[in-house]
Each structure stands twice: as structure tokens, then as C-alpha cells.
Amino acid sequence: MHQAACDSSTPPAEVNTPVSGEKTTTEEAAESVKRKSDETTCEAETSGQSKRRRGAGGKKVRPGERYIPPPQKRNPGVSFSKEHFDETSYYFEGGLRKVYPYYFDFKTYCKGRWIGKSLREVFKSEFRAESIEYYQRATKEGRIRLNETPVDDLSVVLRNNDHMKNTVHRHEPPVVGRPLEVLVDDGEVLVVNKPASIPVHPCGRFRHNTVIFILGKERGISELHTVHRLDRLTSGVLLFARTLETSKKLDQLVRDRQLEKEYVCRVEGEFPEEELICEEPILVVSFKIGLCRVDPKGKDCRTVFQRLTFNGKTSVVRCLPVTGRTHQIRVHLQYLGFPILNDPIYGSLAWGPHRGRGGLVGKSNEELFQALVEEHRSQESLHLLDIPDDGIEQEAEKNKTSEKGQSLDGPSEPNTSAESHQTDTQVPASSSETVDKVSQGCTDPDGNDASSPKTQPNKSNGNQTEATTLKSPPETRDHLCSECKLVRPDPTEKELIMYLHALRYKGPDFEYSTSLPDWAKEDWVEADW
């Protein structure tokens, strides 16, 4: 096949071109040299490819050794396509958008710290969402593969460039069932009104219940570039670029601070009537859950706040972030003593009796992280932190190491390249992003029971009112999946909606906005939970 490919690259005889006469001897000699050169090139390529087949790096594979292919080059321009969108379907039930459980391959290349360790050791130390017994059963069924070859025994020792693949039965948490409203789609930008609870792009436990996949499944839209991001629990204006050129222009506007952003939120208590400006620096404590705090070692920030209404218990506040730090509005409002209603992180009692007001916490980063985890664990709401169970101890260990490093060497800026919540949505999750998820596909603490009555998914427009009740398809259940054996209650509105909304985005020659959400209106009445 390779020879054929080489031959096909040689231009064919010009059948439709008139020939004026016989070619000269010089021309024939030149053609002969060219043909020999082409043949030599093809032979060299074929020979090189033959050598590469012997083993990794072109070396011979010794008797008893495993063949490890060289790592494949990833194409950074690959986008999610119909093949990905068709992995499963969703349905609507009780005002929620739910995804039928599905099989999914988590993939990663062998990390440096794994080299020389057995698969058993790696699964036991780094992927604790499932027991070793589970991985043994999965191995027997061919669900764990190295370099596309099913693993017979977890005692196999990992080597550099090993490519791991783990097939899991994946459950996704439900999200609100409201449709995605497209505000603008002019060929250059796509602007949507994102409902709360839906992540922008695949991350953590979410894949099909994300803005990117919903747009792809319902509207056939793909190859989008993110201009900014909204937290999963935040609603409002979400801007995508349709082309790389537009993406670069908008990115430059963001860097030059020519993109004005306006948010609206509802906070606890009576916010002052006069305008407040908060310029406290913000430090990222944990990129795993996006945990931040006011800290002198943090980055400079500036947010302008203006009260709109007060109903005797809560206030609606206009927020104008001048800078764009992670959780900036939420952290600054917590510091001022007015946390956003339903904020699972910055409204938590884990921050102490003052809940972080004025920066009074009295806990180290590690203690704060652990207190936050324990509070949500006791309330069975750990899923609100968007971190898998097996990631908690790993993150705590990172905080320990980070604090020791800071005490010895001073503060250092964390590397956000691998763990930042923001990624280009045109690029599927890379191995660096999937490594912490190789085994978490069946451990979603907010999944739905695959055996409960389901509704027929309506793929045309996301309208759940016309759905008919059906029993869950048998293929959505898996005998190894622990999540399939559980019955979990549906999340409440309090768990799915944080009262923070991106109201308006304005540039030099454009402006995109939505109407006020219902909870920001003067006649809104808070529901009893």
C-alpha cells in the first residue's frame, strides 16, 4: 500500500495535453533521473517504516518484550463531530435534561511517574474511584488495553509511551431542561443564552450535557472557539467565535480590556446603596474545583458593584468586572460579606463563622479545602464541587506540597495549562486532561438510575412536553457498573442554579445581551427548599 501511495504522488501522463514531438535525449535523461530519485525516496520511506515496525524508536523487540508503538501526533484542529454526538442520546424528565448511560474510552499515555510500575500499582494509587477487584473484572472482559491490546493481567509493568485505554460505563449528571436560546449567529460569532447548571465544554463528569454537545446534537453546529467561559452554575450571555480569525480579534479585545462585561446577581443581605469598588487580589487555591481566596499574593483585581433592588432579605446587584480572574465576582462579594445566593463554594460555612468576610478565614489552603469537602460530603452534595471522589486526596496532597513550597521559596504562580477550566472547545480533551478521569466514568455521585422509567428523547428541538414515557433501553445497563445499581434522587433547583447571570457583553462595535432572569426581577419570591 505504501508503494502505491508513493506511485500515486507521481503525476500521471498528460493524456489530454497535445504532444508536439518526441522528447529530446536530455529530457528523457532528466526524466529518468527524476524517476530514479522518486523511487529511491519511496524505498527509503518504506525501509524506514519497516524499521519502525520492529519496535519503539526503530529498535528490535527482544524476545519476551512488549512492542510499544511511538506516540501519535495529535491534531490540535480536530473538533467534535457527529461521531462523538451520536455516542448516546438524552431525554427529558421532571424538567431535567438527562443522558442515557453509555460506554466510553478514557485514554492516556503513560506518565513519567508510572514508568516501571505495574498497572495494579497505578490503579491502586491514582484511580481509586473503583476497587482493584473492579479493575480485575474489567481486565478479564477486555476493557483495559495497552497499545490497543487487551491486558491479561494487571501485573504488567508500564513503559514509556505506553498508551492506556479504559472502557467504562459512563453516567452523566442531569442538568436543567431549558433549551439553549441562540441570540446571534451571523457566521462570525455565535451567541447563546446559557442556562445554569450546563458546563460550556466537556469536562469532569460532563460530556453530552454541555453547551458544545447540545449545539452539535440539536443544531449540527461544531468547530466553535470559546471567547470566554461561564461557570457551570452561572447563566447568561456566552460568546463563541465561528472562525479562527474572529477568535483572534475577540481575544485581543479581551487582552486590551475593550470587552465590557455586565453581570447581575442576587446576594444575601442588604447591599449598600452606594457604589462599591473591590480591588482585593485573588489567589487560586485549587484549580481542581476553581477554589480561590483573597490573598496579598494573588493577582490584581477590580470589580464595580451597584445595588439595583432589595426585598428585605436579599439584594439584586449589578456587577462590572474590570479584570477577568477566576470566580472574581463571587470571591469579591464573599469578601464584602454578601455571598451570592446558592453559591456552593463561597457561601459555605467551611470558611468559618464570618464565611470569609473581610478575608477572615483562619485556615490554611489545605484546611480550607478539606473543610469544604467535608461540609458537602456530610450534606451528600459533594457533586456540587465538580470533583471525583478519587481526586479529593490527590488535591489535598497538592495543597500540602504547594504550601510547603511557598513557605520555602515564596509564592509561585500555578501552572494552569493542564488544569485550567478554560480550554479551546474545538479541541477534545487531551491526555493531560483525561488522566484524572480514566476510572471515574461510573462514579458520578449525581447520576440517574438507568433502571428508572425514561422518556423518549426528542432530538429535534429539545421540547420535553411532547415526550412519552419509556422503560430504559437494556443496553444502558452494565453488570460491572456500580452506578447502575444505585437509585439517586434528582437534584433540586438549589443544587442546579446559582443566582449569577452574564447580562451583557459589549465591544467597540457590538453588544449582546439577554433579558433579566426571573430571580432578578422585583416581584420574585424565593421558593422554600
Side-chain angles (χ1 to χ4, degrees):
M1 285 183 66
H2 185 79
Q3 184 63 46
C6 288
D7 290 342
S8 67
S9 65
T10 305
E14 298 182 66
V15 177
N16 298 321
T17 303
V19 181
S20 57
E22 292 185 4
K23 294 182 179 177
T24 65
T25 307
T26 306
E27 288 174 329
E28 288 176 351
E31 270 200 4
S32 174
V33 170
K34 182 178 183 301
R35 280 196 301 272
K36 286 181 179 178
S37 174
D38 289 343
E39 288 169 4
T40 303
T41 302
C42 282
E43 286 172 6
E45 289 178 2
T46 307
S47 173
Q49 192 177 61
S50 177
K51 286 180 182 178
R52 284 195 295 272
R53 286 198 191 101
R54 293 179 183 175
K59 298 177 182 177
K60 271 191 173 182
V61 178
R62 296 175 183 174
E65 282 188 344
R66 289 189 295 108
Y67 166 63
I68 303 175
Q72 296 179 353
K73 291 181 180 179
R74 288 197 297 270
N75 181 0
V78 175
S79 64
F80 294 108
S81 63
K82 189 175 184 299
E83 176 188 357
H84 303 104
F85 302 145
D86 289 344
E87 291 167 346
T88 185
S89 58
Y90 49 69
Y91 60 98
F92 296 89
E93 183 178 64
L96 300 174
R97 182 191 297 265
K98 299 182 178 182
V99 174
Y100 286 117
Y102 57 100
Y103 290 101
F104 184 79
D105 290 332
F106 281 115
K107 308 170 187 177
T108 183
Y109 278 100
C110 177
K111 305 302 171 187
R113 63 182 180 274
W114 301 347
I115 296 175
K117 293 184 178 180
S118 68
L119 269 176
R120 181 189 301 275
E121 290 175 290
V122 172
F123 280 128
K124 188 174 182 179
S125 62
E126 304 214 20
F127 304 113
R128 290 168 285 194
E130 296 287 354
S131 65
I132 287 297
E133 289 72 28
Y134 165 83
Y135 293 118
Q136 288 172 337
R137 293 195 298 270
T139 299
K140 290 179 180 177
E141 299 203 9
R143 298 190 186 186
I144 298 175
R145 282 156 284 173
L146 273 183
N147 310 314
E148 298 301 330
T149 302
V151 174
D152 296 325
D153 193 337
L154 292 179
S155 63
V156 62
V157 176
L158 293 174
R159 295 172 59 190
N160 191 29
N161 289 335
D162 267 332
H163 187 255
M164 298 169 59
K165 186 182 290 186
N166 182 22
T167 301
V168 300
H169 194 234
R170 190 166 177 175
H171 292 244
E172 292 193 28
V175 298
V176 296
R178 298 190 191 102
L180 278 177
E181 177 189 2
V182 175
L183 304 174
V184 176
D185 187 8
D186 59 8
E188 291 190 355
V189 296
L190 174 73
V191 187
V192 302
N193 184 7
K194 184 186 90 68
S197 81
I198 304 178
V200 175
H201 49 75
C203 55
R205 300 177 179 93
F206 295 90
R207 182 170 172 86
H208 289 265
N209 263 346
T210 61
V211 172
I212 292 299
F213 267 64
I214 292 171
L215 287 173
K217 291 164 82 75
E218 291 189 352
R219 296 176 179 267
I221 297 174
S222 60
E223 299 185 8
L224 297 173
H225 304 262
T226 50
V227 177
H228 66 105
R229 70 175 294 275
L230 295 177
D231 293 327
R232 181 173 69 85
L233 299 179
T234 302
S235 58
V237 175
L238 181 61
L239 180 60
F240 296 100
R242 279 285 207 167
T243 66
L244 185 58
E245 182 182 359
T246 303
S247 176
K248 290 178 178 178
K249 289 180 182 177
L250 293 172
D251 286 344
Q252 191 61 50
L253 291 180
V254 173
R255 283 193 292 271
D256 296 341
R257 296 186 181 176
Q258 294 185 47
L259 187 61
E260 297 177 20
K261 297 165 284 185
E262 179 182 347
Y263 288 70
V264 65
C265 65
R266 185 173 285 276
V267 302
E268 298 179 21
E270 183 177 3
F271 199 84
E273 290 188 42
E274 67 275 11
E275 180 179 278
L276 284 184
I277 298 177
C278 187
E279 297 181 307
E280 296 297 325
I282 293 177
L283 178 72
V284 178
V285 174
S286 166
F287 283 98
K288 191 69 126 180
I289 62 174
L291 177 61
C292 303
R293 68 191 296 176
V294 166
D295 191 290
K297 299 187 290 290
K299 289 186 176 182
D300 293 337
C301 299
R302 179 182 172 89
T303 317
V304 179
F305 297 104
Q306 301 165 348
R307 191 180 92 179
L308 299 179
T309 61
F310 174 60
N311 65 3
K313 186 177 179 183
T314 59
S315 305
V316 174
V317 179
R318 183 174 180 240
C319 314
L320 304 171
V322 180
T323 51
R325 309 303 181 201
T326 301
H327 293 180
Q328 178 175 318
I329 293 173
R330 298 164 67 182
V331 174
H332 275 175
L333 284 169
Q334 180 203 41
Y335 180 86
L336 295 172
F338 303 95
I340 296 175
L341 226 58
N342 286 0
D343 190 328
I345 295 179
Y346 302 103
S348 167
L349 292 173
W351 295 83
H354 302 287
R355 289 197 293 174
R357 181 171 188 167
L360 299 175
V361 181
K363 295 176 181 176
S364 67
N365 291 344
E366 179 199 349
E367 291 169 340
L368 177 59
F369 177 84
Q370 288 294 351
L372 193 60
V373 167
E374 289 307 317
E375 177 182 316
H376 282 284
R377 181 178 275 153
S378 66
Q379 298 173 2
E380 297 185 356
S381 58
L382 199 56
H383 55 277
L384 295 180
L385 300 183
D386 288 334
I387 107 179
D389 291 339
D390 63 338
I392 292 173
E393 293 180 22
Q394 293 175 23
E395 188 67 13
E397 192 61 34
K398 279 185 187 176
N399 287 331
K400 278 185 186 177
T401 306
S402 173
E403 288 177 6
K404 286 179 183 177
Q406 287 184 13
S407 63
L408 294 173
D409 307 315
S412 60
E413 192 62 39
N415 179 6
T416 63
S417 61
E419 294 186 349
S420 171
H421 288 268
Q422 175 64 25
T423 61
D424 189 340
T425 57
Q426 196 177 11
V427 185
S430 66
S431 61
S432 63
E433 294 169 320
T434 56
V435 59
D436 290 330
K437 302 180 287 182
V438 170
S439 63
Q440 81 173 49
C442 295
T443 61
D444 164 30
D446 195 18
N448 49 280
D449 172 39
S451 63
S452 60
K454 305 299 179 187
T455 52
Q456 178 66 34
N458 185 329
K459 300 180 184 178
S460 58
N461 58 10
N463 177 15
Q464 63 268 36
T465 58
E466 299 296 327
T468 56
T469 301
L470 290 178
K471 190 176 180 181
S472 173
E475 62 270 17
T476 63
R477 294 186 61 82
D478 179 78
H479 66 283
L480 289 187
C481 178
S482 57
E483 190 69 20
C484 282
K485 301 177 178 66
L486 302 176
V487 178
R488 298 190 184 276
D490 285 338
T492 64
E493 183 176 344
K494 184 176 182 180
E495 295 175 304
L496 294 178
I497 297 176
M498 180 174 63
Y499 296 136
L500 177 61
H501 180 85
L503 188 65
R504 181 175 64 95
Y505 271 67
K506 182 180 179 182
D509 56 356
F510 63 84
E511 180 174 348
Y512 308 115
S513 62
T514 71
S515 57
L516 277 175
D518 290 340
W519 52 259
K521 298 175 181 176
E522 286 193 58
D523 58 352
W524 178 79
V525 178
E526 184 177 5
D528 294 327
W529 306 109

